[in-house]
């Protein structure tokens, strides 16, 4: 039994997993205590306690922590001298992220596991520490990663792809190793955004051999990553990822464009932040309907523009907010055809001309005529 405990102690030390090492020390001390060697058990615990006083590697979990210092400077690319990551201390809480209940529960479970690492390891269970976030641009992947970091009181090592990916043969793989080596002794979140840029399928004939070697290096670093590092990766193109990558993640979460309930919550939340009074004539039910298909980033920009309008004019109505949305979706082109395209798409998604007309302050009979005309023109172009 003692030989097995010593072996576990050595393995934990070699893996540089502080929590496993602590658990192995406690098991060894408890075993000696059971045998009546109380003095020896106390010496073992005291030796580890002394180490705890002087160590600087793995700070305790503290959701209220706001600052953190890495050991040494961020590594840089040899040729460009760009930093390979930047340290971010997130101010975004989980309450700031609007998610469906099912996704929120998964994220809350991951956070709880990370907060109870010692308890899980004591029962030979490892917490989730590798999360893949998938979904289209603007759906909240980066914000979700920042919220997880905030809830755990951990800093984020945000990997900069402009520094990581090099045109020099072999340098990207070297940069990857530098990143993982730099954080391996830290209690930190390693965030790999635009993950597909370094994790593409190795059987893609369009990719060079160098990028295939990068994936192999990435997999090796994943396998050797200690438990004190919490890795989060985000991608807009999960279909491009190498099959072997998927197996390296404990949890995959797909974030999509906000549904009706989420859009309603986001609009009300941000309208409140921009101090748009509830007494003003804004039909949130209608705004939720016409904003179908927008991502979270677009909705925030829309709410921000509405907030500026309200601040400058002292009032705002539904048609004002709708007009702002159409301007944004048409990229402020001022072209009537572009505006008609947006209106047509809204109508195609099931928003009635009566509702669009109400939002714009235009008779729905006029919109009906314009949409039919626009549809006929589209058909003519397609057939012509």
């Amino acid at each position: 039994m003692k030989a097995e405990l010593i072996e576990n102690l050595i393995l934990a030390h070699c893996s540089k997993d502080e929590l496993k090492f602590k658990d192995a020390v406690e098991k060894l001390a408890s075993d000696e205590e059971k045998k009546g060697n109380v003095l020896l058990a106390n010496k073992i615990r005291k030796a580890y306690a002394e180490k705890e006083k002087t160590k600087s590697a793995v700070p305790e979990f503290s959701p209220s922590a706001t600052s953190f210092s890495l050991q040494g400077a961020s590594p840089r690319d040899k040729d460009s001298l760009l930093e390979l990551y930047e340290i971010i201390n997130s101010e975004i809480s989980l309450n700031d992220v609007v998610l469906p209940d099912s996704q929120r529960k998964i994220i809350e479970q991951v956070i709880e596991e990370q907060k109870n690492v010692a308890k899980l390891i004591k029962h030979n269970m490892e917490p989730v520490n590798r999360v893949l976030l998938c979904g289209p641009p603007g759906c909240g992947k980066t914000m979700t990663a920042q919220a997880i970091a905030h809830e755990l009181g951990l800093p984020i090592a945000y990997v900069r792809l402009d520094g990581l990916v090099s045109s020099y043969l072999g340098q990207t793989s070297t940069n990857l190793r530098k990143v993982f080596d730099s954080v391996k002794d830290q209690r930190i979140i390693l965030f790999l955004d635009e993950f597909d840029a370094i994790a593409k399928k190795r059987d893609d004939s369009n990719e060079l051999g160098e990028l295939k070697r990068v994936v192999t290096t990435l997999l090796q670093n994943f396998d050797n990553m200690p438990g004190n590092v919490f890795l989060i990766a985000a991608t807009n193109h999960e279909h491009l990822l190498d099959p072997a990558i998927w197996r390296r993640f404990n949890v995959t979460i797909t974030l999509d464009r906000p549904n009706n309930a989420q859009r309603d919550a986001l609009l009300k939340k941000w309208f409140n932040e921009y101090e748009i009074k509830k007494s003003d004539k804004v039909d949130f039910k209608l705004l939720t309907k016409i904003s179908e298909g927008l991502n979270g980033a677009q909705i925030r920009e829309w709410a921000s523009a509405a907030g500026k309008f309200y601040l400058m004019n002292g009032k705002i109505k539904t048609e004002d907010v709708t007009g702002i949305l159409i301007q944004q979706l048409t990229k402020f082109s001022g072209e009537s055809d572009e505006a008609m395209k947006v209106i047509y798409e809204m109508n195609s998604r099931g928003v009635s001309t009566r509702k669009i007309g109400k939002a714009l302050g235009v008779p729905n009979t006029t919109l009906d005529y314009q949409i039919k005309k626009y549809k006929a023109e589209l058909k003519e172009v397609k057939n012509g």
Side-chain angles (χ1 to χ4, degrees), residues 2 45 340:
K2 188 171 181 179
R45 290 192 179 103
M340 200 60 235

Side-chain angles (χ1 to χ4, degrees), residues 4-211:
E4 184 183 341
L5 291 171
I6 292 173
E7 182 185 3
N8 289 340
L9 190 69
I10 294 169
L11 289 171
H13 172 73
C14 292
S15 70
K16 299 189 183 204
D17 189 324
E18 188 65 25
L19 293 167
K20 281 186 179 179
F21 183 70
K22 183 178 180 179
D23 187 54
V25 169
E26 180 55 37
K27 283 181 179 177
L28 183 61
S30 297
D31 184 61
E32 291 298 333
E33 204 167 46
K34 287 176 186 176
K35 293 174 182 176
N37 300 325
V38 178
L39 187 59
L40 178 57
N42 288 340
K43 281 185 177 180
I44 292 171
R45 290 192 179 103
K46 186 179 178 182
Y48 184 78
E50 289 299 321
K51 175 183 179 296
E52 286 282 277
K53 287 178 185 178
T54 57
K55 74 173 186 176
S56 59
V58 185
E60 293 295 319
F61 285 102
S62 173
S64 60
T66 56
S67 64
F68 184 88
S69 296
L70 274 177
Q71 297 173 354
S74 169
R76 295 174 181 267
D77 177 73
K78 183 179 70 173
D79 300 292
S80 69
L81 297 181
L82 289 171
E83 290 188 340
L84 300 182
Y85 58 72
E86 61 181 311
I87 297 300
I88 296 173
N89 289 292
S90 174
E91 300 277 332
I92 296 170
S93 74
L94 194 57
N95 290 332
D96 294 324
V97 186
V98 177
L99 295 166
D101 288 342
S102 58
Q103 293 167 333
R104 178 175 288 275
K105 284 177 182 176
I106 294 170
I107 292 167
E108 287 173 345
Q109 172 68 23
V110 170
I111 291 169
E112 282 305 304
E113 287 187 22
Q114 282 289 315
K115 286 181 177 179
N116 292 277
V117 171
K119 186 187 292 185
L120 290 170
I121 288 178
K122 190 174 181 180
H123 291 85
N124 296 317
M125 291 184 285
E126 295 190 3
V128 168
N129 74 330
R130 299 173 189 178
V131 174
L132 177 62
L133 302 175
C134 305
C139 64
K141 298 184 293 297
T142 300
M143 194 174 183
T144 299
Q146 291 178 334
I148 292 172
H150 179 81
E151 297 301 323
L152 293 174
L154 294 178
I156 301 173
Y158 191 114
V159 176
R160 299 172 58 93
L161 285 179
D162 57 350
L164 184 70
V165 178
S166 173
S167 59
Y168 291 93
L169 189 66
Q171 189 58 42
T172 302
S173 294
T174 300
N175 287 346
L176 263 176
R177 283 192 291 270
K178 283 182 182 179
V179 168
F180 279 88
D181 284 345
S182 177
V183 301
K184 67 181 180 182
D185 294 323
Q186 312 298 330
R187 182 65 182 128
I188 197 167
I189 288 179
L190 180 60
F191 183 49
L192 303 173
D193 201 2
E194 300 179 58
F195 185 55
D196 47 277
I198 55 171
K200 286 185 179 178
K201 294 175 183 175
R202 285 170 289 182
D203 61 357
D204 187 343
S205 59
N206 295 320
E207 293 298 344
L208 301 173
E210 162 65 1
L211 289 178

Side-chain angles (χ1 to χ4, degrees), residues 318-349:
T318 303
E319 49 262 45
D320 299 320
V321 183
T322 306
I324 291 168
L325 176 60
I326 290 175
Q327 283 182 325
Q328 290 184 328
L329 293 178
T330 57
K331 300 178 176 62
F332 301 92
S333 67
E335 295 285 336
S336 58
D337 285 350
E338 286 295 318
M340 200 60 235
K341 179 183 176 184
V342 171
I343 292 168
Y344 174 73
E345 287 174 353
M346 284 182 182
N347 183 244
S348 300
R349 290 197 299 267

